[in-house]
Amino acid sequence: MNTIAFWTFLLLGSMCIGGFFMMRKFLKVLPKADGKSKLDWQNYWVEASRHLWTDEAKAFLDQLVEPVPGPFRDIAKHSIAAEIGKIAVEDNATEVSRDHCIKGYIIATPKRDNKFLVKFLEKNKIDYSPYQHLIK
């Protein structure tokens, strides 16, 4: 009987965790007031800024997403690249610079992860002082 109870709680817990992540993904796909979803806007900014990315900027982006666990790295890289691309396009830049990458990385990182963000930037000796006001 204890075995059945254990597996019941384990399966219910797994389904709840999976459902939570599925619901978050579903909410990202729902259209906002402008008719586009969050994922649509991410794809738009990535495509609009694709020609601005240099090999150096891509390598720096890879370095920035290094602490993200492997299974989530591609998703995080895409959302961070979208924010960086948005900043670069809105600045009318000719290419994505290191400053665009740092600013986009800080903005795209969830507020709950700011402690890890600062620790990572300091560990890699990346100067984020011009964007200190974005970290709360």
Side-chain angles (χ1 to χ4, degrees):
M1 192 65 178
N2 289 338
T3 305
I4 293 172
F6 169 76
W7 282 107
T8 302
F9 285 118
L10 183 70
L11 289 173
L12 282 174
S14 298
M15 288 190 303
C16 288
I17 291 169
F20 170 75
F21 285 106
M22 286 175 60
M23 182 58 101
R24 285 182 57 198
K25 186 71 168 181
F26 174 72
L27 291 175
K28 281 186 172 183
V29 177
L30 288 177
K32 305 291 182 205
D34 61 0
K36 288 189 174 186
S37 69
K38 184 175 181 178
L39 289 178
D40 291 337
W41 279 112
Q42 284 181 357
N43 291 334
Y44 170 78
W45 289 116
V46 167
E47 289 302 318
S49 66
R50 189 171 298 278
H51 66 284
L52 301 175
W53 285 88
T54 62
D55 291 335
E56 181 183 322
K58 289 177 187 176
F60 189 57
L61 177 61
D62 288 336
Q63 179 187 356
L64 291 175
V65 296
E66 193 176 292
V68 178
F72 307 108
R73 194 169 292 148
D74 288 339
I75 296 166
K77 187 176 180 180
H78 187 264
S79 62
I80 293 169
E83 190 62 42
I84 293 169
K86 177 182 176 184
I87 292 167
V89 169
E90 288 177 348
D91 283 349
N92 294 322
T94 57
E95 65 180 30
V96 173
S97 68
R98 190 174 176 95
D99 287 332
H100 292 132
C101 290
I102 295 169
K103 184 177 181 181
Y105 178 62
I106 291 171
I107 292 172
T109 301
K111 301 299 179 208
R112 67 179 178 273
D113 294 337
N114 279 345
K115 182 172 54 172
F116 301 110
L117 167 87
V118 169
K119 190 186 295 186
F120 175 75
L121 292 173
E122 289 174 350
K123 179 181 136 191
N124 289 304
K125 297 177 178 71
I126 297 171
D127 181 29
Y128 63 95
S129 57
Y131 310 109
Q132 186 75 31
H133 64 281
L134 298 174
I135 300 172
K136 295 177 174 94

